[in-house]
Amino acid sequence: MLIEIAPVFAPYLDEALLRFSYLHPEVEVFKRDGCVEITNEDPAVAASLRHTVYRQKIYKETFALRQSLIESLTG
Amino acid sequence: MNVVPLKFRPMADDGFLFCDDAGGFFKSDEGYLERYATDALTFEDYRFLTSNGHAFDEGNHVARHAFRYRWARRFHIPSELNYVILVPTLRCNLSCAYCQVSRVNENTPGHDWSNETLAAVIAWLESLSTKEIKIEFQGGEPLLRLDLLEKVRSFVRSRFEHSSFVVCTNLQEVTEEAWDFLASDDTNVSTSLDPTVDLHQRHRTVGSASTQQFLRNLRRAVDQFPARVSALPTFDIDALPDPSAVIETYASFGLASIYLRAVNHQGFARKRFRTRETLQTWVSYVRAFIAALIDYNWNSESPMEEYYFSHCLRRVIRGGHDAHVDLRNPNIVGKSYVVVDHDGAFYPTDEARMMSRLGQIDLRMGNVRDGMDRRVVDTVNAEATNLFDADCIHCPYQAFCGVDLIDDLSRYGRIDLPRHETNFCQRHMAIFDLAFELLYSNDPKVRHSLALWSGLEDIDPTLVRVHA
Ligand code: SF4
């Protein structure tokens, strides 16, 4: 199955795919131009991949804010 | 505008749950998720996020401070040592099939505190700096050494400004002297009452005369000091009774709290009962049990709770619910509470004591004679938070959840397994899924029970917000 990945996610895609492979070791993943191909036809698995990409972007983009809040909490 | 990290998870019915690090949450849909992930939030989105405490302007120090405060409330800061579990004897007058603790037969010598150990325990208690202390007597069957319990209690009462006691007893043989001991207002009784009387007999008391003796003692305890008696069942995953039968058993003794505990993987019980590959069965049972309690509470004047679900629910609703030692974040062991074994050895938890006896890992922290040695335990403690865990940082339940490294060690012999593969994670994922499913339910029966369990008058709509 081919899953389209918007350009806004490109900087986070490699890390997200690494994480997805760790969560779904049974699924093979191939990075293609502007999309990702997986060896699974289950829409839930495709959704999981998209969500993993979203999560990676959110995590990375909010990392500095989270870190500054943790630092201010832990002194 | 700063939007704090929002972690999300699809909900069972539809939509997505979004939670922040401080435990703020709301429900929304796929459209919102797409806008959030692709930097396309609308004015309305920002307005909602700000009003629900997930976003604040760069210069808005009050909102930032409020968020930090809510987040800080989610952390458990261990107090000074003020909770001590004492094991004055390993001897027991029962031989329960799923005994979780190490025990020996009633007549076996050499498994009680010696006079010298008692003196060392007292001297060590004397050295503690806390003003307030809770002492839990465990065993074996601690009432077999009532003399030791009396000596410790009378010393502790005179040494500390506030003290309270728990006797974890099987209530099988209770002498009149023991009843007198248990009658004090500062002393609570914690006993075992299996899911049904039949199961109690099968796994614990064995003969009907012993069963009747236990039931008479339990009846006397709940009649004499109802507010100070609690009972814990143990469930065999291959013989799960109808939830209503369990509720009936507990209600018949006026016990309002049931703690669903499957046979513990830690300790000796796992040799006789299945404790692996049981999670799905267990999770389904917990769901059925909570549904049965919701029905029961709707028609009953004496409501009942499932202890652990209620605890998790309260942790969702507000930070600071850290009374349960297995669900804390960070979960620092060997600091605010310790176990003193029958030979005077310190352990960080009772489960750690079991693991040492099974020869899995030695988590001893010194002993009452030579003092405390936290080196091994502090190595474990360095990993005792979910704050930076590679799985937990993406999980919406992170703020409510915790870690239980002793459980990980016991099951897997290591603490670095991917979190989502652990029993701890899968169990808590299921509990929090259920908690949120119910929190967003409109069924008046569900709302009635949730309000009772969470200590709220009602589930306020502002608590369970939905963003369209
Ligand atoms: S242990 Fe599991 S359920 Fe708990 S926060 Fe981590 S990922 Fe979530």
Side-chain angles (χ1 to χ4, degrees), chain B residues 6 18 24 62 77-78 87 90 99 107 120 130 175 273 290-291 296-297 334:
Chain B
L6 292 169
F18 294 83
V62 175
I77 312 292
V87 183
L90 278 191
C99 182
N107 301 322
T130 182
T175 61
F273 293 90
I290 299 294
Y296 176 84
N297 287 344

Side-chain angles (χ1 to χ4, degrees), chain B residues 185-213:
Chain B
D185 282 347
D186 61 359
T187 302
N188 293 295
V189 175
S190 172
T191 192
S192 297
L193 171 62
D194 275 347
T196 64
V197 170
D198 282 356
L199 287 168
H200 193 94
Q201 177 160 320
R202 190 186 316 162
H203 293 308
R204 294 185 186 273
T205 42
V206 184
S208 77
S210 305
T211 309
Q212 291 311 315
Q213 186 174 348

Side-chain angles (χ1 to χ4, degrees), chain A residues 6 8-9 19 22-23 50-52 54-59 61-62 65-66 68-70 72-73, chain B residues 3 5 8 16 21 30 33-34 36-37 39 64 68 71-72 75 387 390-391 393-394 398 418 420:
Chain A
V8 69
F9 297 110
R19 180 164 169 74
Y22 144 98
L23 294 170
R50 272 201 326 277
H51 294 161
T52 306
Y54 293 179
R55 288 187 180 108
Q56 196 61 31
K57 176 174 180 285
I58 293 164
Y59 172 67
E61 286 186 346
T62 54
L65 174 63
R66 191 171 192 264
S68 85
L69 284 164
I70 289 175
S72 67
L73 276 174
Chain B
V3 178
F8 62 91
F16 288 81
D21 281 316
E30 182 124 35
L33 173 60
E34 296 289 330
Y36 175 48
D39 310 322
R64 186 183 163 97
R68 280 172 42 203
W71 197 356
F75 294 125
L387 202 55
D391 291 302
I393 49 168
H394 295 294
Q398 187 181 27
H420 68 281

Side-chain angles (χ1 to χ4, degrees), chain B residues 85-201:
Chain B
I85 298 171
L86 299 176
V87 183
T89 178
L90 278 191
R91 293 181 301 118
C92 187
N93 47 9
L94 286 182
S95 180
C96 303
Y98 31 47
C99 182
Q100 286 164 189
V101 298
S102 44
R103 48 83 62 196
V104 295
N105 289 334
E106 190 175 354
N107 301 322
T108 312
H111 288 84
D112 293 9
W113 282 353
S114 60
N115 288 338
E116 181 257 333
T117 306
L118 171 67
V121 169
I122 300 266
W124 172 72
L125 287 170
E126 167 90 71
S127 73
L128 298 181
S129 55
T130 182
K131 293 190 164 73
E132 197 168 326
I133 196 161
K134 183 172 182 176
I135 303 281
E136 185 171 314
F137 296 107
Q138 284 198 13
E141 168 52 43
L143 289 183
L144 291 178
R145 287 308 306 267
L146 191 62
D147 58 326
L148 295 176
L149 271 53
E150 274 167 343
K151 283 182 180 136
V152 169
R153 189 173 72 176
S154 91
F155 169 76
V156 166
R157 279 175 175 166
S158 65
R159 164 66 181 77
F160 298 95
E161 278 176 29
H162 300 283
S163 55
S164 60
F165 306 86
V166 181
V167 181
C168 300
T169 166
N170 59 29
L171 284 180
Q172 193 57 45
E173 308 271 353
V174 189
T175 61
E176 284 308 315
E177 291 74 26
W179 283 116
D180 285 347
F181 183 86
L182 298 176
S184 296
D185 282 347
D186 61 359
T187 302
N188 293 295
V189 175
S190 172
T191 192
S192 297
L193 171 62
D194 275 347
T196 64
V197 170
D198 282 356
L199 287 168
H200 193 94
Q201 177 160 320

Side-chain angles (χ1 to χ4, degrees), chain A residues 3-75:
Chain A
I3 302 159
E4 216 175 300
I5 303 289
V8 69
F9 297 110
Y12 316 102
L13 193 55
D14 287 341
E15 280 172 324
L17 295 186
L18 193 64
R19 180 164 169 74
F20 177 81
S21 302
Y22 144 98
L23 294 170
H24 298 272
E26 73 291 354
V27 181
E28 282 193 74
V29 186
F30 305 97
K31 210 168 126 183
R32 308 265 184 245
D33 216 14
C35 58
V36 168
E37 185 177 358
I38 56 172
T39 57
N40 192 301
E41 294 300 314
D42 183 350
V45 176
S48 169
L49 185 135
R50 272 201 326 277
H51 294 161
T52 306
V53 176
Y54 293 179
R55 288 187 180 108
Q56 196 61 31
K57 176 174 180 285
I58 293 164
Y59 172 67
K60 281 284 174 182
E61 286 186 346
T62 54
F63 186 81
L65 174 63
R66 191 171 192 264
Q67 194 173 29
S68 85
L69 284 164
I70 289 175
E71 276 166 11
S72 67
L73 276 174
T74 54

Side-chain angles (χ1 to χ4, degrees), chain B residues 401-419:
Chain B
C401 199
V403 287
D404 187 350
L405 298 177
I406 303 290
D407 188 62
D408 287 354
L409 271 174
S410 155
R411 289 174 190 276
Y412 315 110
R414 54 194 291 181
I415 58 172
D416 59 349
L417 215 65
R419 192 66 64 196

